[in-house]
Amino acid sequence: MTENNNSLANDAKKAGARVGLTSDEIIINGGRPLVGRIQVRGAKNLATKAMVAALLGKKPSVLRSVPNISDVRVVAGLLALHGVIITRGENEEWLLDPSNVERAHKADIDAHAGSSRIPILFCGPLLHRLGEAFIPDLGGCRIGDRPIDFHLDALRKFGAVVEKQPGGISLTAPNGLKGANIELPYPSVGATEQVLLTAVLAEGNTELRNAAVEPEIIDLICILQKMGAIITVEPSRVIYIEGVKELSGYDHTAIFDRNEAASWASAALATNGDIFVEGAKQEEMMTFLNVFRKVGGEFEITDAGIRFFRGQEKLNPVLIETDVHPGFMTDWQQPLVVALTQAEGISTIHETVYENRFGFTDALNKMGANIVVHPEGFEDGMRRVKRREFEQAAVITGPTPLHGSDVEVPDLRGGFSHLIAALTAEGSSKVTNIGIIARGYENFIDKLRKLGADFIYEG
């Protein structure tokens, strides 16, 4: 029932690489449809932020439906380093008690953060609780530079003093944190979370313009409101936060992971399978469901989840433009690309969120796909999303039979795409560096077994 804090802190070093994995490679014999039922739990992009939010409370918080993924373990380890007592109950229910928050050694923070970018979201809460914070040089998936300027600029406007040091960044708040007027250059999810986690206890009011409004952001706002925050969300990407003197704890069930749900849906489409994703809900996936149907997939929606399967023998090519919510998520395009290699005709994907998210296609081309990446994107008269300076585009021509190959996982979503490709391909594939996939996909090895995949995994 209870997990020792020292254990959490020690495990966090390994958690950046894998959770529950004793081997870092899997051999997949492809060509078999995935059929069956799997469950998705709380969203990676909410659970980790909700855990950080617990630092703001005067009382313990309860977070339910916490996914068993390595990013969660990293955050748990960092919280433990700062004195938060964590008790894990049954059914992935976590009790987080921040009563005795304390300073952590910089070397420990650096060692336990691993490749996670989550430490930067500790800044606001720790500045409120301790008056100082330290974040190590940030890592993460190789999908772009991931500049943290948006975060640091926002923290400076709240009154934080930011100092670059060897190995990281030190922050202090000698005069406390004050409400601010902030307009983000881009509706960044991480920067929006930063402002929310900082503004709720800042003195005075904060107005955030051009904010991200993803479902996980709204769920975080619900958590903060349960804790006693006063937050108003306007329809024009404007969020108002009235600072309060103190916050309590929360009791909350995390929103489901729509990225994982979309990934399994893409796997069903690519392998001509039939997968029921328990816990998936329609409202948060509307944009994905529209594209899924255009490609040739079908779905059945129930209160328990969504069933995904092919609605026709031949798949259709599509035009996709990634965008912030309510647009088509960048995390959705990578798994879907594998299915598009089997579509009849030419599909185009304009990636407008990250500047380097098509690196995973090299492995797909090695397996027989025909994907041409345009590093600087290109003009397209059919487009609706505004062209961005650092965008890319990929043109996929199909159908092309895929064959087995040896591939190395480059990043989280690209890695799951490689799994789908190996499952779709004829022959055997060895996929290495799969620990990265455990960052965001809970128990994916067990789920592959449930769906009837043919593979060898010595774990």
Side-chain angles (χ1 to χ4, degrees):
M1 290 288 290
T2 303
E3 182 150 358
N4 182 276
N5 262 32
N6 290 331
S7 175
L8 286 170
N10 291 332
D11 286 351
K13 293 181 182 179
K14 300 177 182 178
R18 58 177 71 92
V19 165
L21 299 181
T22 54
S23 175
D24 212 21
E25 69 177 42
I26 183 173
I27 297 174
I28 295 176
N29 300 311
R32 175 182 293 188
L34 296 185
V35 178
R37 182 185 184 109
I38 53 97
Q39 181 186 38
V40 293
R41 248 188 277 268
K44 163 188 175 289
N45 291 339
L46 181 277
T48 49
K49 322 306 169 55
M51 293 168 69
V52 175
L55 276 172
L56 296 164
K58 290 288 187 181
K59 296 181 179 180
S61 294
V62 176
L63 182 61
R64 308 179 193 279
S65 192
V66 181
N68 180 30
I69 57 176
S70 60
D71 272 16
V72 163
R73 301 286 294 183
V74 168
V75 176
L78 291 170
L79 288 173
L81 285 175
H82 286 93
V84 176
I85 303 300
I86 300 175
T87 305
R88 291 181 58 182
E90 298 177 355
N91 299 319
E92 299 304 325
E93 173 185 304
W94 289 44
L95 175 68
L96 305 107
D97 186 350
S99 302
N100 299 303
V101 172
E102 59 189 31
R103 291 172 175 81
H105 294 293
K106 295 178 181 178
D108 289 337
I109 296 173
D110 190 18
H112 289 85
S115 63
S116 174
R117 295 178 301 274
I118 292 295
I120 195 166
L121 292 178
F122 277 69
C123 292
L126 288 178
L127 287 171
H128 284 303
R129 294 297 301 268
L130 303 176
E132 66 178 29
F134 173 79
I135 52 174
D137 290 331
L138 301 179
C141 291
R142 301 193 297 269
I143 55 176
D145 292 336
R146 296 295 189 106
I148 61 172
D149 294 348
F150 294 173
H151 292 259
L152 299 181
D153 289 346
L155 289 165
R156 289 189 183 97
K157 289 183 179 179
F158 283 112
V161 176
V162 180
E163 181 182 357
K164 183 70 174 75
Q165 295 184 348
I169 298 172
S170 176
L171 298 97
T172 57
N175 299 313
L177 299 176
K178 315 290 183 183
N181 292 325
I182 299 170
E183 182 169 4
L184 298 177
Y186 180 79
S188 160
V189 169
T192 298
E193 293 164 340
Q194 182 74 258
V195 172
L196 289 169
L197 292 167
T198 305
V200 286
L201 286 179
E203 180 183 341
N205 300 330
T206 296
E207 178 180 317
L208 174 62
R209 295 181 295 280
N210 203 24
V213 291
E214 271 69 6
E216 294 81 10
I217 292 286
I218 302 303
D219 209 35
L220 178 60
I221 290 173
C222 289
I223 286 172
L224 295 171
Q225 188 180 58
K226 287 180 178 180
M227 299 176 74
I230 301 174
I231 304 173
T232 303
V233 181
E234 298 289 337
S236 54
R237 293 191 180 275
V238 177
I239 300 177
Y240 297 100
I241 307 105
E242 299 179 35
V244 298
K245 291 186 177 181
E246 68 176 35
L247 295 172
S248 184
Y250 64 78
D251 188 320
H252 191 79
T253 299
I255 187 175
F256 81 100
D257 197 313
R258 61 201 176 109
N259 292 337
E260 183 182 358
S263 295
W264 289 114
S266 296
L269 196 61
T271 67
N272 197 15
D274 190 329
I275 301 177
F276 186 91
V277 181
E278 183 179 341
K281 298 187 182 300
Q282 177 183 14
E283 181 178 354
E284 292 81 2
M285 297 189 70
M286 278 189 169
T287 303
F288 176 83
L289 294 175
N290 286 336
V291 174
F292 188 81
R293 179 168 280 166
K294 288 179 182 179
V295 175
E298 268 302 339
F299 49 86
E300 294 178 357
I301 298 167
T302 70
D303 290 341
I306 304 177
R307 174 193 171 206
F308 296 95
F309 56 98
R310 275 200 195 182
Q312 58 193 49
E313 182 179 351
K314 295 182 179 180
L315 299 181
N316 308 313
V318 292
L319 167 67
I320 295 174
E321 301 168 84
T322 65
D323 198 9
V324 295
H325 185 77
F328 192 91
M329 284 192 66
T330 178
D331 287 338
W332 292 340
Q333 61 93 347
Q334 289 171 290
L336 191 60
V337 162
V338 182
L340 294 179
T341 67
Q342 306 308 302
E344 299 268 349
I346 298 175
S347 297
T348 302
I349 298 179
H350 296 281
E351 173 56 59
T352 75
V353 178
Y354 287 120
E355 68 272 22
N356 188 26
R357 201 150 204 181
F358 287 125
F360 77 101
T361 61
D362 291 341
L364 300 187
N365 283 335
K366 182 180 176 182
M367 299 174 78
N370 182 354
I371 304 173
V372 177
V373 174
H374 298 260
E376 298 179 357
F378 57 82
E379 295 294 339
D380 187 337
M382 301 294 292
R383 293 190 55 175
R384 299 176 63 186
V385 177
K386 184 179 179 181
R387 181 169 163 79
R388 296 189 65 216
E389 182 179 357
F390 299 108
E391 70 174 40
Q392 290 187 315
V395 177
I396 306 120
T397 303
T400 52
L402 301 182
H403 55 77
S405 180
D406 292 348
V407 296
E408 181 179 357
V409 168
D411 59 71
L412 177 58
R413 307 301 170 189
F416 199 86
S417 301
H418 290 167
L419 280 186
I420 298 175
L423 292 161
T424 305
E426 291 294 331
S428 178
S429 298
K430 182 170 71 172
V431 185
T432 57
N433 204 27
I434 64 172
I436 290 178
I437 300 174
R439 285 189 50 224
Y441 291 90
E442 180 185 47
N443 303 330
F444 70 92
I445 296 291
D446 291 339
K447 291 176 181 177
L448 288 175
R449 288 193 181 101
K450 288 183 178 180
L451 296 173
D454 182 4
F455 64 91
I456 300 172
Y457 173 75
E458 296 180 358

